[in-house]
């Protein structure tokens, strides 16, 4: 992912703020928690003049007022372990007619369990006089069908719990099948009589501790020994496990056939190419729209906190190379270029994912280098002159 701002000076300031907060790594971790829990938030703030960002998951977010997924008032809380105990920090962002007011509270909980309020002075109530929220919410793209009126997002596992249980049951059945399918030999009572040696010692023909032999009391028919051997239903259960894995990965957003159960192990199907018409691709794009909005709001909040004046626009670009067939794109772009349907710059845009200015500059650079190499090789000179 790349965040681009149309003004280079502002771009540099915000990039530094994001970098000093380890944004890419922390945002990636938060997005994973958001997929699991349904909701997350970026909360920027100033700590003694230094821009900080809190990365909070659904367990630390209390939405107070919202219009569908547009959160208006919200409360965030977090705990920090210290040597003497635990610090509990609470931030409430409330919108009124003059803009957002942020209410801050901090409590210290000692190791003996006693709470003590920490005096924050003027920071206990900050009137921002701004309608730009100092938080940015992220959600999973799926509509919360467990509660259609809640502003919280739906965990990607929310509709897949039954499939997770079924996968576990099928896997247990595979283990049980091996136990039940063992070879057994059933013996009648006549086959378990005792032998008497010359010293008069009784020796049982049947060993009661042998797991392969079973004594059937009262069986006096002619067949004294009967063998039982069942065929293991490994293929049927493997197919059932694969079907449950397909349903599971489809529900959690990974698409069909993401996992492959083969030779007793589960593999990630690396040969699976995601097309632009697949359910996975559409979910990725929906998620990108949500993340783009959150990052845009975050950049505006950071700008206001660090005192940036003036308007600017934010663009977010994503690397979709892992879900595209790069070889197919390259061959198509090469064919279109050879047929003079696209320019060199467009070829570089399609194949190397360069932006407009970068593609034009790279095309000019390549043209100049090709021209210089041709002159050095002497191919532009007439050798007869």
């Amino acid at each position: 992912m790349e965040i681009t701002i149309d003004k280079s000076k502002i771009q540099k300031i915000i990039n530094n703020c994001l970098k000093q907060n380890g944004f890419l790594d922390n945002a990636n971790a938060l997005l994973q928690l958001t997929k699991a829990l349904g909701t997350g938030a970026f909360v920027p703030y100033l700590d003694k003049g230094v821009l900080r960002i809190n990365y909070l998951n659904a367990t630390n977010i209390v939405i107070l007022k919202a219009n569908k997924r547009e959160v208006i008032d919200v409360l965030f809380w977090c705990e920090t372990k210290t040597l003497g105990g635990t610090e509990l920090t609470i931030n409430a962002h409330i919108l009124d007619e003059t803009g957002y007011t942020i209410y801050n509270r901090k409590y210290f909980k000692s190791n003996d369990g006693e709470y003590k309020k920490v005096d924050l002075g003027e920071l206990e109530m900050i009137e921002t006089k701004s309608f730009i929220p100092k938080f940015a919410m992220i959600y999973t793209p799926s509509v919360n069908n467990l509660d259609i009126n809640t502003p919280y997002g739906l965990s990607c596992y929310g509709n897949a719990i039954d499939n997770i249980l079924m996968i576990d049951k099928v896997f247990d059945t595979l283990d049980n099948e091996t136990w039940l399918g063992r070879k057994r030999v059933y013996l009648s009572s006549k086959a378990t009589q005792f032998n008497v040696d010359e010293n008069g010692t009784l020796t049982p023909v049947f060993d009661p501790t042998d797991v392969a032999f079973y004594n059937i009391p009262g069986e006096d028919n002619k067949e004294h020994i009967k063998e039982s051997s069942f065929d293991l239903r490994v293929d049927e259960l493997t197919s059932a496990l694969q079907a449950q894995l397909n349903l599971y990965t489809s529900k959690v957003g990974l698409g069909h056939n993401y996992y492959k159960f083969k030779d007793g192990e589960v593999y990630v199907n690396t040969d699976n190419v995601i097309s632009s018409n697949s359910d996975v691709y559409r979910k990725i794009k929906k998620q990108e729209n949500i993340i783009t909005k959150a990052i845009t709001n975050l950049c505006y909040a950071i700008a206001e906190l660090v005192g940036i004046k003036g308007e600017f626009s934010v663009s977010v670009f994503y690397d979709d190379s892992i879900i595209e067939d790069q070889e197919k794109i390259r061959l198509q772009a090469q064919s279109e270029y050879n047929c003079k349907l696209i320019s060199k710059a467009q070829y570089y845009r399609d194949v190397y994912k360069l932006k407009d200015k970068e593609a034009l500059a790279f095309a000019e650079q390549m043209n100049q280098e090709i021209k210089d190499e041709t002159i050095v090789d002497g191919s532009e000179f007439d050798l007869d002159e």
Side-chain angles (χ1 to χ4, degrees), residues 239-309:
S239 298
L241 182 57
Q242 185 63 60
Q244 291 299 329
L245 283 171
N246 291 343
L247 289 171
Y248 168 68
T249 56
S250 176
K251 285 188 177 182
V252 300
L254 297 174
H256 290 281
N257 299 319
Y258 183 81
Y259 290 121
K260 190 74 172 178
F261 184 71
K262 183 180 180 182
D263 300 331
E265 294 189 40
V266 178
Y267 299 89
V268 175
N269 188 3
T270 56
D271 295 331
N272 189 25
V273 178
I274 304 173
S275 68
S276 59
N277 194 37
S278 69
D279 182 56
V280 178
Y281 185 83
R282 289 193 292 270
K283 285 184 177 180
I284 288 174
K285 291 303 175 184
K286 290 179 180 178
Q287 187 69 75
E288 287 179 358
N289 291 337
I290 296 171
I291 297 172
T292 298
K293 180 179 179 181
I295 290 177
T296 302
N297 292 343
L298 175 63
C299 289
Y300 288 141
I302 290 175
E304 193 167 83
L305 285 170
V306 299
I308 294 176
K309 306 296 183 180

Side-chain angles (χ1 to χ4, degrees), residues 133-148:
K134 300 301 181 291
F135 58 86
M137 307 293 298
I138 54 176
Y139 309 93
T140 50
S142 301
V143 175
N144 194 329
N145 60 345
L146 301 180
D147 184 357
I148 61 174

Side-chain angles (χ1 to χ4, degrees), residues 29-288:
L30 177 62
L31 184 58
Q32 293 182 52
L33 287 170
T34 300
K35 297 293 284 185
L37 302 176
T39 307
F42 306 115
V43 185
Y45 65 97
L46 289 178
D47 180 15
K48 299 178 181 179
V50 179
L51 194 283
R52 304 293 186 190
I53 300 176
N54 273 338
Y55 305 87
L56 302 175
N57 61 60
T59 61
N60 301 101
I61 301 172
V62 181
I63 298 177
L64 304 175
K65 183 179 180 181
N67 181 12
K68 297 187 181 298
R69 281 198 173 186
E70 193 69 33
V71 175
I72 301 173
D73 297 342
V74 61
L75 181 145
F76 303 107
W77 68 274
C78 62
E79 288 185 339
T80 305
K81 296 290 184 181
T82 64
L83 291 176
T86 304
E87 286 184 352
L88 173 63
T89 304
I90 301 173
N91 313 108
H93 297 242
I94 308 300
L95 179 65
D96 54 33
E97 58 275 4
T98 62
Y100 270 98
T101 300
I102 303 176
Y103 299 90
N104 298 306
R105 298 290 185 274
K106 180 177 286 190
Y107 300 89
F108 181 78
K109 180 183 178 182
S110 60
N111 292 328
D112 57 7
E114 182 182 354
Y115 277 94
K116 181 179 180 181
K117 186 176 180 296
V118 179
D119 186 13
L120 298 178
E122 295 180 353
L123 295 179
E124 289 195 352
M125 188 179 74
I126 302 174
E127 296 180 351
T128 66
K129 305 295 184 180
S130 171
F131 292 91
I132 297 177
K134 300 301 181 291
F135 58 86
M137 307 293 298
I138 54 176
Y139 309 93
T140 50
S142 301
V143 175
N144 194 329
N145 60 345
L146 301 180
D147 184 357
I148 61 174
N149 295 315
T150 182
Y152 293 93
L154 176 69
S155 166
C156 68
Y157 301 105
N159 293 322
I161 296 175
D162 291 341
N163 294 100
I164 296 174
L165 294 175
M166 285 303 300
I167 290 172
D168 187 56
K169 288 180 180 179
V170 175
F171 197 78
D172 288 344
T173 304
L174 271 170
D175 178 68
N176 196 40
E177 185 75 6
T178 304
W179 176 262
L180 296 177
R182 294 185 306 167
K183 185 176 181 178
R184 294 172 173 84
V185 178
Y186 299 96
L187 308 175
S188 68
S189 57
K190 290 183 178 181
T192 60
Q193 295 176 351
F194 289 88
N195 292 330
V196 182
D197 59 15
E198 58 185 10
N199 298 323
T201 303
L202 296 176
T203 304
V205 177
F206 171 72
D207 184 1
T209 64
D210 197 322
V211 297
F213 295 90
Y214 293 84
N215 182 19
I216 305 178
E219 289 288 338
D220 294 327
N221 51 26
K222 295 181 179 179
E223 190 177 9
H224 300 314
I225 300 176
K226 185 176 181 180
E227 182 180 6
S228 173
S229 180
F230 299 100
D231 294 329
L232 298 180
R233 299 174 299 158
V234 175
D235 291 339
E236 291 83 353
L237 291 173
T238 299
S239 298
L241 182 57
Q242 185 63 60
Q244 291 299 329
L245 283 171
N246 291 343
L247 289 171
Y248 168 68
T249 56
S250 176
K251 285 188 177 182
V252 300
L254 297 174
H256 290 281
N257 299 319
Y258 183 81
Y259 290 121
K260 190 74 172 178
F261 184 71
K262 183 180 180 182
D263 300 331
E265 294 189 40
V266 178
Y267 299 89
V268 175
N269 188 3
T270 56
D271 295 331
N272 189 25
V273 178
I274 304 173
S275 68
S276 59
N277 194 37
S278 69
D279 182 56
V280 178
Y281 185 83
R282 289 193 292 270
K283 285 184 177 180
I284 288 174
K285 291 303 175 184
K286 290 179 180 178
Q287 187 69 75
E288 287 179 358

Side-chain angles (χ1 to χ4, degrees), residues 321-339:
S321 59
I322 61 172
I323 60 173
E324 293 179 343
D325 190 340
Q326 290 297 306
E327 182 64 18
K328 183 177 179 181
I329 291 174
R330 186 187 66 79
L331 291 174
Q332 181 178 349
Q334 186 176 14
S335 175
E336 291 176 350
Y337 175 72
N338 292 336
C339 295

